[in-house]
Each structure stands twice: as structure tokens, then as C-alpha cells.
Amino acid sequence: MKAIQMTEQGGPEVLRLVELPDPQPGPGQVLIRVESAAVNFSDVMRRRGDVYPVATPSPFVPGAEVAGTVVALGPGVDGPAVGTKVFGSVGADGSGGYAELALAYAPSVIPIPEGLDSDAAAGIVVSGLAATVILTELIGLGKGQSVFIPAAAGGVGQYAVQIAKLLGADTVIAGASTPAKRQIALDLGADHAIDYTQDDWPEEVRELTGGVGVDGALEMSGPARLAQTLRVLAPFGRLVVLGSVSGTTEGLDPAALAPLLYDPAPSQSLIGFNLGIWFEHRLPEAGKALHRLVGWVASGEVRTPATSPLPLAEAAEAHRLLETGRTTGKLILKP
């Protein structure tokens, strides 16, 4: 089979198209002929060698989630049946998706709902489930509350804007870097969209909430942006950190945490999030959230982000686009 493989960590150029033996499903596994492989920022982080909770071996085939057709079942597996179109996470460690064939554990894949194409389905788990768990389980967002969502035109952001409104949020403030991206967020239901690349954006968020701040916020830029995001929290507010687009954990100012902990200690929470940890330690809750999300998608209450397909051979270009922030929605590789 054709696959994208890296034998060292570094820039996008380390991603190379190669021929590898076809994988064979082991106990509990299914083999999927990949139609669409989602490109996620976690793939970029592992390629670059960023701090990441799971080791990245060498050689390595990136890709944590795919959509395609089941072509073989491993020992002890009685479904999904061969020929079923499915989507879900692949590999034991979220890897192997950038390929013509990928292995997944049977409980990690779900039949694609009627009316949903493989490109849209491929991006549901990482982006959509992350947004669902963060808003429902970690922030506990509910009726009449407020939330700040950065990168609102990206995969996680687009899901989060819509889910926040479904949960009854009264004020959804989206952050995006260009007018076009801010319009995407507004079209999805955000009440306000601001340019969060400007230094005064926290003051703008506080103004939009009558000086109180938001009940929940997401942060994914990196430690250097953390202090700004903490400033937009209301008392009892919760800030969930879900990664570092900057690629570094340097730049965290301890002084920024002093008000949170000691002065005035307004009962706020700072939470680090990793979806893989939920699958490992809280699988029932993650599964429940995923089925809730799939129900929203199937009913049309949540629209999947627009997709931008690229040939599998252009994986390096897909990473370049994602790293430079020149994308909206989901990038999809097509074997």
C-alpha cells in the first residue's frame, strides 16, 4: 500500500510517500480501506517533535482518524461487517491514518450516518469530540452562560461554536484572525467575533460581557497567550488548554497565575485537556459524548466543517497550510 511515512522529526519535508506492506488485522481489529484521512494539529506536533503525551516511534505513519470501508475483520471481531462505511480513530496510539489501508480497534469506529460523506466524517472524532467533551464535561456550559472560542473557523472551533449554542449558551464570543474567518463563526451562530491577534482583545471580551468576563474559555495558542486568556474569565470561570499551536511550552509567566491562585483567587479553574487520555481513562464518558455528537450531526443540528481535500502525496503541503493558519475547516488527505 501507499502511505506517508517519516523516519525523523522535523519540518513538513520529512513526510514522504512510500510503499509499505499491507497491514493485517489482529485480535479485536478491523482493516479499513481509507477514503479520507483527517489532518489534525496533533499530527503536526508529533512530526515536529513537540511535547506530546504519547511517544512517536520511528519510522512513523501519522494520521489519527479516517473514514473508509471495512475490508477485513481480525480474530474475535463480528462487526462492523465487511463493506460497512465507517469513521473513527485508528492505531493503538492515534497513528497509521495517512495510508491506503489502516488498522483500527472495532470499538473505535462507527458506521457513517446516512447523508454524510467520507470527507466530513473523517474529521468528526478529534475535532468534534474534543469540542463536545470540553464544553459538556470540563466547562459544563449551560443555559445563559458565556464562552470564548479561539480559532473559531478551524475544526475544533467550528464545532465548539455550534455546540455552545445547542447547550444554551447566551453569549458565544469567537476569536479569529481575519474578517472572512470571523464571518464563518458568525454564520455558525456566534454572537460576536473579534480579532484575537490584537493586543487589546481581552478588554473587548470583557466589554462584550458587561465587564464580568466569560464562564468558559478555550486556549490553544501556547503559554505566551495564556495570561491574556485568563484575563477574560469571570469568577468561577473555567479555562481549558487543548494544545500549543506555537509548538513550545516556553514563555509561561508564573506571575500570570498569581491572581488565579492567590490574589484574588476568584475560584477559577485551569484545565489541561488531551482527548487520548479520555479514551484511555474515561472511555464510557468519551463514548457517550461521541454518540451525542453523532446524533447532532445526523439530525442536522451540528454542521460538519467544510473540508479541503488534497492527494495523499501532498501531506507535507497540508502540514504547511495548517501550521501557517491559512486554512478553515478540515484538511483531508485522499489516498
Side-chain angles (χ1 to χ4, degrees):
M1 69 171 185
K2 290 183 172 61
I4 296 295
Q5 186 184 68
M6 48 183 266
T7 56
E8 60 182 328
Q9 292 173 310
E13 67 279 357
V14 303
L15 300 174
R16 298 182 177 91
L17 185 68
V18 299
E19 290 277 352
L20 296 176
D22 291 354
Q24 301 300 316
Q29 293 182 319
V30 299
L31 181 65
I32 300 169
R33 183 166 298 282
V34 178
E35 296 175 25
S36 308
V39 180
N40 292 296
F41 212 88
S42 57
D43 304 333
V44 172
M45 295 175 69
R46 300 183 80 173
R47 189 213 77 220
R48 295 191 306 202
D50 295 353
V51 173
Y52 197 75
V54 178
T56 300
S58 182
F60 182 73
V61 176
E65 59 177 338
V66 306
T69 304
V70 176
V71 293
L73 306 179
V77 178
D78 55 11
V82 170
T84 304
K85 290 186 174 295
V86 297
F87 72 96
S89 56
V90 294
D93 61 349
S95 65
Y98 291 9
E100 292 180 317
L101 295 166
L103 293 172
Y105 285 94
S108 299
V109 297
I110 297 175
I112 296 177
E114 186 176 350
L116 191 66
D117 65 39
S118 63
D119 287 1
I124 287 178
V125 174
V126 172
S127 296
L129 183 56
T132 303
V133 170
I134 288 169
L135 294 176
T136 61
E137 301 290 335
L138 300 183
I139 293 177
L141 194 67
K143 187 176 176 62
Q145 293 188 312
S146 56
V147 64
F148 171 69
I149 299 169
V156 175
Q158 288 196 35
Y159 277 112
V161 167
Q162 297 177 83
I163 293 168
K165 295 307 290 186
L166 270 179
L167 295 173
D170 197 40
T171 306
V172 175
I173 303 173
S177 59
T178 69
K181 290 182 177 182
R182 292 192 287 275
Q183 189 59 52
I184 288 173
L186 292 170
D187 291 343
L188 290 172
D191 299 288
H192 308 280
I194 66 169
D195 182 356
Y196 76 133
T197 65
Q198 301 299 312
D199 289 340
D200 63 348
W201 73 266
E203 285 68 36
E204 189 172 357
V205 170
R206 297 196 71 87
E207 287 176 11
L208 290 170
T209 56
V212 177
V214 293
D215 299 297
L218 282 63
E219 204 295 300
M220 59 187 79
S221 297
R225 183 70 66 87
L226 185 65
Q228 286 183 308
T229 311
L230 282 170
R231 281 162 44 200
V232 310
L233 286 185
F236 303 99
R238 296 182 175 186
L239 170 57
V240 179
V241 178
L242 59 150
S244 177
V245 173
S246 65
T248 179
T249 56
E250 302 296 324
L252 178 62
D253 181 4
L257 300 179
L260 175 72
L261 299 173
Y262 301 108
D263 182 20
S267 297
Q268 295 166 339
S269 302
L270 177 61
I271 306 167
F273 173 77
N274 178 270
L275 187 60
I277 299 298
W278 275 77
F279 276 117
E280 183 178 354
H281 296 282
R282 294 192 175 179
L283 185 58
E285 292 91 338
K288 181 180 177 181
L290 180 57
H291 281 87
R292 187 180 189 186
L293 170 63
V294 172
W296 283 332
V297 171
S299 68
E301 293 175 280
V302 169
R303 288 154 42 194
T304 57
T307 56
S308 300
L310 290 170
L312 180 65
E314 295 184 22
E317 177 61 16
H319 276 221
R320 290 188 188 97
L321 291 169
L322 192 59
E323 279 185 285
T324 55
R326 289 182 284 156
T327 64
T328 59
K330 292 295 295 186
L331 285 169
I332 302 292
L333 295 176
K334 306 290 288 185

